Amino acid sequence: MQFKEGDKVQFIREGSLIDGVVKEFKGCSPDMWYLIDDKCKDSWIFGGHLILLTPLPIIPQFVADAIDTFKDEGDSLAVAIDYEVYTNELVKELSLDSRVRGWLWETSNQELFARAWMGEYEVEQEPLYYVRLPIVRLNTLGTAVEGDYKYLWADHATGENNIFQSLEYPATLIQSGWETKFTEQEIKELDERYWSFAVPVEEVEETK
């Protein structure tokens, strides 16, 4: 196998398995030698002594949930990845939604799904949003109208939610576990209408 610059690899040195990154290479295949940076010292390693480290597949949380559901039901990979599964009553029994079906239509995602099914995987971090509701009010002198925002808060444990003026945590909210940052799905589960007021967390915090 021929490696390229930047590949993450492993090799054995003095009886220990070492992780490193390919910096340079020389020679002709199959007799290639590679300069490996392992954060301790650079070493020239014969290609036949290197193992390519394949990164873990990264999948959305809803796909990870689908994999868990299929496995809990005792289904095989062939059943899980078969599109026809999503066109019959099984979809209702397994609580799988159209996002999984659409995601699996992409050929590259089918390979990711299979790799995740067969071993370990990482769940990609979903974007987080504030639900920011604009309001207008008179200033403290009552002489002019000024703009401001109220924010949605929710307690995931109880399902309770409310609107508060500030992102600062009152003591009572700290104790009760109220949150202000939500995924798209969490917002829509609270109320579909809130989604139109969703603002990326980064956009709000950059202006604070």
Side-chain angles (χ1 to χ4, degrees), residues 69-115:
T69 302
F70 276 118
K71 288 188 173 183
D72 288 345
E73 292 291 319
D75 291 307
S76 67
L77 173 60
V79 170
I81 209 167
D82 187 348
Y83 170 74
E84 295 302 321
V85 161
Y86 299 99
T87 62
N88 60 31
E89 291 300 313
L90 185 58
V91 66
K92 297 177 183 178
E93 296 175 13
L94 298 182
S95 301
L96 300 175
D97 58 31
S98 59
R99 290 187 302 168
V100 179
R101 179 172 66 237
W103 190 85
L104 279 172
W105 264 116
E106 295 289 335
T107 302
S108 59
N109 287 342
Q110 294 171 17
E111 180 180 338
L112 273 179
F113 189 90
R115 288 177 57 202

Side-chain angles (χ1 to χ4, degrees), residues 2 15 41 47 49 53 59 78 89 103-106 123 127 133 136 151 162 166-167 170 172 196-198 201 205:
Q2 186 167 337
K41 65 178 182 178
H49 296 162
L53 286 177
I59 58 176
E89 291 300 313
W103 190 85
L104 279 172
W105 264 116
E106 295 289 335
V123 176
L133 304 167
V136 291
Y151 290 86
N162 212 326
S166 169
L167 284 177
T172 54
S196 60
F197 298 98
V201 164
E205 294 184 349

Side-chain angles (χ1 to χ4, degrees), residues 93-205:
E93 296 175 13
L94 298 182
S95 301
L96 300 175
D97 58 31
S98 59
R99 290 187 302 168
V100 179
R101 179 172 66 237
W103 190 85
L104 279 172
W105 264 116
E106 295 289 335
T107 302
S108 59
N109 287 342
Q110 294 171 17
E111 180 180 338
L112 273 179
F113 189 90
R115 288 177 57 202
W117 181 281
M118 299 303 295
E120 296 182 353
Y121 56 82
E122 294 181 0
V123 176
E124 67 182 4
Q125 180 65 48
E126 292 189 65
L128 295 175
Y129 303 89
Y130 290 119
V131 175
R132 186 173 66 178
L133 304 167
I135 62 171
V136 291
R137 64 182 180 186
L138 290 174
N139 62 16
T140 54
L141 298 176
T143 58
V145 173
E146 58 186 22
D148 202 350
Y149 297 100
K150 288 181 178 287
Y151 290 86
L152 176 69
W153 295 69
D155 185 335
H156 295 302
T158 64
E160 185 181 2
N161 64 86
N162 212 326
I163 306 298
F164 292 90
Q165 184 71 27
S166 169
L167 284 177
E168 298 297 325
Y169 279 85
T172 54
L173 296 182
I174 292 176
Q175 296 171 6
S176 65
W178 289 64
E179 300 288 344
T180 58
K181 301 176 182 179
F182 311 97
T183 65
E184 178 180 350
Q185 182 176 355
E186 288 171 339
I187 291 172
K188 291 180 176 178
E189 286 176 351
L190 290 170
D191 192 318
E192 287 273 356
R193 293 171 294 182
Y194 282 142
W195 178 241
S196 60
F197 298 98
V199 181
V201 164
E202 296 80 5
E203 182 178 319
V204 175
E205 294 184 349

